[in-house]
């Protein structure tokens, strides 16, 4: 499996295709501690005002904070808004 990933990364580089698309990786973009955009997710596992757990292709993303809300919820992306205090990527 590691060889396959290496080949896919090389192919992505040659074709100038973003690795997140080829490797089925999430793209996580954070704007200060107010917004966190997760693209290429596999769904929401848990949602409370202090914790959002998101399933990824490999593991889970834990977002801890205060007054967390979900905005712009789409099949391919989730926008978490509020006061983000900690982000943990667990494989």
């Amino acid at each position: 499996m590691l060889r396959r990933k290496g080949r896919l990364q090389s192919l992505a580089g040659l074709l100038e295709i973003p690795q997140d698309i080829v490797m089925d990786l999430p793209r996580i973009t954070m704007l200060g501690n107010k917004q966190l955009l997760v693209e290429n997710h596999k769904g929401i596992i848990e949602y409370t005002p202090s914790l959002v757990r998101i399933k990824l292709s490999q593991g889970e993303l834990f977002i801890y904070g205060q007054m967390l809300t979900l905005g712009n919820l789409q099949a391919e992306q989730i926008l978490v808004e509020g006061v983000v205090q900690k982000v943990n990527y667990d494989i």
Side-chain angles (χ1 to χ4, degrees):
M1 180 139 168
L2 290 175
R3 283 181 105 169
R4 183 172 184 247
K5 285 184 180 181
R7 282 186 265 170
L8 286 174
Q9 286 177 323
S10 296
L11 181 61
L14 287 172
L15 299 176
E16 298 181 6
I17 299 171
Q19 288 189 20
D20 58 321
I21 294 172
V22 175
M23 302 291 294
D24 196 29
L25 297 173
R27 179 179 296 251
I28 302 165
T29 307
M30 195 166 174
L31 180 61
N33 70 334
K34 304 297 182 197
Q35 292 183 333
L36 192 137
L37 178 66
V38 181
E39 299 174 89
N40 200 19
H41 66 88
K42 302 300 180 190
I44 298 169
I45 299 170
E46 181 178 356
Y47 166 65
T48 69
S50 60
L51 171 65
V52 178
R53 288 175 53 208
I54 300 173
K55 182 166 178 53
L56 305 174
S57 59
Q58 297 176 7
E60 296 179 21
L61 186 67
F62 293 77
I63 304 163
Y64 300 93
Q66 298 174 358
M67 300 180 296
L68 299 177
T69 60
L70 300 178
N72 198 21
L73 187 60
Q74 297 179 11
E76 291 294 318
Q77 66 181 21
I78 297 172
L79 179 65
V80 179
E81 297 178 295
V83 180
V84 177
Q85 296 171 321
K86 180 179 174 181
V87 178
N88 187 29
Y89 191 143
D90 189 21
I91 297 177

